[in-house]
Amino acid sequence: MIKKIAVLGAGTMGHGIAETFAMFGYPVNLYETSEKMRNSVKDIIRAELDFAAENGLIEKSEVNGILDNITLYDDLKSAVEDVDYVIEATPEIIELKQSLFKEIDGYCKKETIFASNTSSLALNEMMKTVSEDRKEKMIVCHWYNPAHLMPIAELSFFGNMKEETFKEVEKLYNNVGKQTVKVLKDVPGLVANRIQQGVAREVFSLIEMGVALPEDIDKALKFGPAFRYATTGQLEVADMGGLDIWCTVGDNLLSVMDNRKEANPILRQKVSEGKLGLKSGEGFFEYPAEKISDIKNDFNKKLIIQLKTSKNYI
């Protein structure tokens, strides 16, 4: 049974993963090499917890207890040697992950399960440096950002792991409120990111063609397909509408839709101009510096409302 957890990396994803487990009572060892990040990460988590409390996701009285569930470490061995489950949320560099897993393989208990938050690197490549016994206890557990609000967790089941071990990990994620997706084949992007990129490719193409303004394209998505997708999957939508209709529309539309195999030129141009979105103050829309905090809060508030509502449809 998984009782104690280590999270490696306290950045955007890592701190949110640690925060989630801590919210549900798990003791978490959070390892981070950057002293600056170690000194600031609990303040970041506290601010997110306070916001969650203000919006009814947790009780205000729970915040201090959740923070107490997280212990910060700058020594890797001390962070992992007594835990049951380790998940890394480090940069997407295969050599870094291989080195990290090799090192902790020598520190951890033989029963400890290793996980990676990657969605782009192959599990077989990450496993190359660990012992044969450990390979049976390695899994991809891909979270979505922000980790403490997005309810999805994609879990790999690629043939290296026994069913009983997978179910142990699946139970852990169910215990912290995640809807798990069992991924049976190791493909780049897993499931959710591939679906998302399919939508994004056509959205960027519509802008490139000048079919509609960015705000109207987003409106078409939010109040069209995405309105249903919040509670209904694509396959159910297709069944409800009739597969004969979907087949006919597919024949009529797919041949004239974007099928390029690289990022859209309009996206690449934005990047070259330094227009990276919220982080730079401008992307497809403008984000005045004095409003960025409010914009982030509004974004997360919508996710909290959706998270609370979605529990009625599980």
Side-chain angles (χ1 to χ4, degrees):
M1 181 182 295
I2 299 172
K3 295 182 178 180
K4 190 170 183 179
I5 294 162
V7 178
L8 310 183
T12 300
M13 292 305 300
H15 90 263
I17 293 171
E19 181 179 347
T20 302
F21 286 125
M23 285 170 68
F24 286 85
Y26 287 91
V28 182
N29 294 347
L30 181 54
Y31 169 76
E32 174 56 53
T33 58
S34 166
E35 182 179 5
K36 181 180 179 181
M37 179 58 75
R38 284 197 311 274
N39 290 337
S40 64
V41 68
K42 280 209 171 183
D43 290 336
I44 294 170
I45 294 173
R46 179 180 289 278
E48 291 176 349
L49 292 173
D50 285 342
F51 186 78
E54 290 167 10
N55 288 277
L57 191 62
I58 61 173
E59 296 296 327
K60 181 67 175 176
S61 59
E62 298 178 84
V63 172
N64 287 336
I66 293 169
L67 287 167
D68 288 343
N69 287 335
I70 301 173
T71 305
L72 293 167
Y73 285 85
D74 62 357
D75 179 72
L76 183 58
K77 182 179 180 181
S78 299
V80 303
E81 60 186 353
D82 67 338
V83 303
D84 307 303
Y85 176 81
V86 180
I87 181 167
E88 66 80 22
T90 60
E92 294 287 82
I93 303 169
I94 188 62
E95 294 82 8
L96 173 62
K97 296 183 188 292
Q98 288 173 335
S99 175
L100 191 60
F101 282 129
K102 180 180 180 180
E103 186 173 356
I104 65 173
D105 193 25
Y107 298 152
C108 290
K109 302 179 297 184
K110 64 179 182 179
E111 301 86 5
T112 303
I113 298 168
F114 289 3
S116 173
N117 182 54
T118 188
S119 67
S120 63
L121 297 176
L123 181 61
N124 278 340
E125 289 299 310
M126 290 187 289
M127 293 195 305
K128 279 187 174 181
T129 56
V130 304
S131 62
E132 290 302 311
D133 288 342
R134 190 73 69 185
K135 289 178 181 178
E136 295 182 2
K137 297 179 177 66
M138 285 192 67
I139 187 171
V140 172
C141 297
H142 178 238
W143 300 53
Y144 252 49
N145 183 38
H148 67 297
L149 297 181
M150 294 294 289
I152 186 175
E154 296 178 302
L155 311 182
S156 71
F157 190 64
F158 298 155
N160 63 297
M161 177 175 280
K162 294 178 181 177
E163 180 79 26
E164 62 190 62
T165 308
F166 177 85
K167 287 187 177 299
E168 187 176 359
V169 177
E170 186 178 44
K171 183 179 180 181
L172 169 69
Y173 279 82
N174 292 157
N175 286 346
V176 298
K178 297 302 179 186
Q179 294 296 308
T180 56
V181 176
K182 188 177 186 179
V183 184
L184 303 177
K185 188 172 183 179
D186 197 353
V187 296
L190 302 178
V191 178
N193 274 349
R194 291 174 75 103
I195 294 170
Q196 182 174 247
Q197 282 296 318
V199 173
R201 180 168 62 183
E202 190 58 31
V203 164
F204 297 143
S205 177
L206 289 167
I207 293 173
E208 181 185 26
M209 291 188 293
V211 173
L213 295 173
E215 54 266 34
D216 285 319
I217 290 174
D218 268 5
K219 187 187 296 183
L221 179 60
K222 286 190 292 185
F223 297 102
F227 190 83
R228 292 185 296 209
Y229 291 158
T231 56
T232 312
Q234 175 59 61
L235 301 180
E236 186 181 353
V237 167
D239 276 353
M240 294 295 286
L243 299 186
D244 53 334
I245 303 300
W246 277 89
C247 187
T248 299
V249 174
D251 285 340
N252 291 338
L253 287 187
L254 290 175
S255 63
V256 297
M257 290 173 64
D258 193 349
N259 65 355
R260 75 187 77 206
K261 296 182 179 181
E262 66 283 325
N264 190 286
I266 199 167
L267 188 62
R268 202 175 301 279
Q269 180 182 346
K270 292 279 188 185
V271 172
S272 69
E273 294 172 348
K275 297 178 180 179
L276 308 180
L278 187 70
K279 66 173 72 175
S280 67
E282 183 179 354
F284 289 105
F285 305 105
E286 293 184 356
Y287 306 94
E290 68 276 9
K291 294 183 179 180
I292 285 180
S293 179
D294 289 339
I295 291 170
K296 286 182 178 179
N297 285 342
D298 287 344
F299 180 84
N300 286 334
K301 188 177 294 185
K302 287 185 286 186
L303 292 180
I304 289 173
I305 292 170
Q306 197 166 321
L307 179 60
K308 292 192 291 186
T309 304
S310 69
K311 293 176 181 178
N312 297 323
Y313 294 91
I314 295 171

